[in-house]
């Protein structure tokens, strides 16, 4: 499929999905963790992963690494 030359058409390719605006709303409201988005939106994990990946790929959101689950729950290994 040919890339659209129009900036509006290109933007809609990234932002046009139903869940995308809801994800952006939650991000602007302070959600930063996958679980926060899931809890607030009730979205399936595979759909959320796909939408977040697209938003990161196009520079709308930035991904950041967090502590491991064990560290987040105060657990230690070793």
């Amino acid at each position: 499929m040919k890339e659209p030359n129009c900036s509006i058409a290109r933007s809609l390719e990234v932002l046009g999905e139903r869940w995308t605006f809801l994800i952006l709303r939650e991000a602007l409201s302070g959600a930063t963790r996958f679980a926060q988005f899931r809890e607030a939106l009730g979205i399936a994990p595979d759909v959320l992963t796909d939408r977040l990946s697209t938003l990161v790929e196009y520079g709308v959101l930035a991904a950041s690494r967090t502590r491991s689950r064990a560290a987040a729950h105060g657990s230690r290994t070793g």
Side-chain angles (χ1 to χ4, degrees), residues 1-27:
M1 186 161 134
K2 184 179 167 187
E3 282 254 341
N5 291 328
C6 173
S7 61
I8 294 173
R10 285 192 309 272
S11 297
L12 282 174
E13 285 185 359
V14 175
L15 301 173
E17 298 288 338
R18 172 181 176 236
W19 288 106
T20 303
F21 280 104
L22 297 174
I23 292 167
L24 290 174
R25 179 193 69 195
E26 293 306 315

Side-chain angles (χ1 to χ4, degrees), residues 19 23 34 38 42-54:
W19 288 106
I23 292 167
F34 191 86
R38 287 262 347 251
I43 186 173
D46 58 328
V47 175
L48 179 56
T49 298
D50 182 60
R51 298 304 181 270
L52 287 172
S53 296
T54 299

Side-chain angles (χ1 to χ4, degrees), residues 31-71:
T32 58
R33 298 181 150 253
F34 191 86
Q36 290 173 316
F37 289 104
R38 287 262 347 251
E39 184 177 322
L41 300 172
I43 186 173
D46 58 328
V47 175
L48 179 56
T49 298
D50 182 60
R51 298 304 181 270
L52 287 172
S53 296
T54 299
L55 290 169
V56 169
E57 178 184 344
Y58 285 92
V60 177
L61 294 178
S64 64
R65 296 237 179 236
T66 59
R67 300 179 297 170
S68 71
R69 282 188 173 203

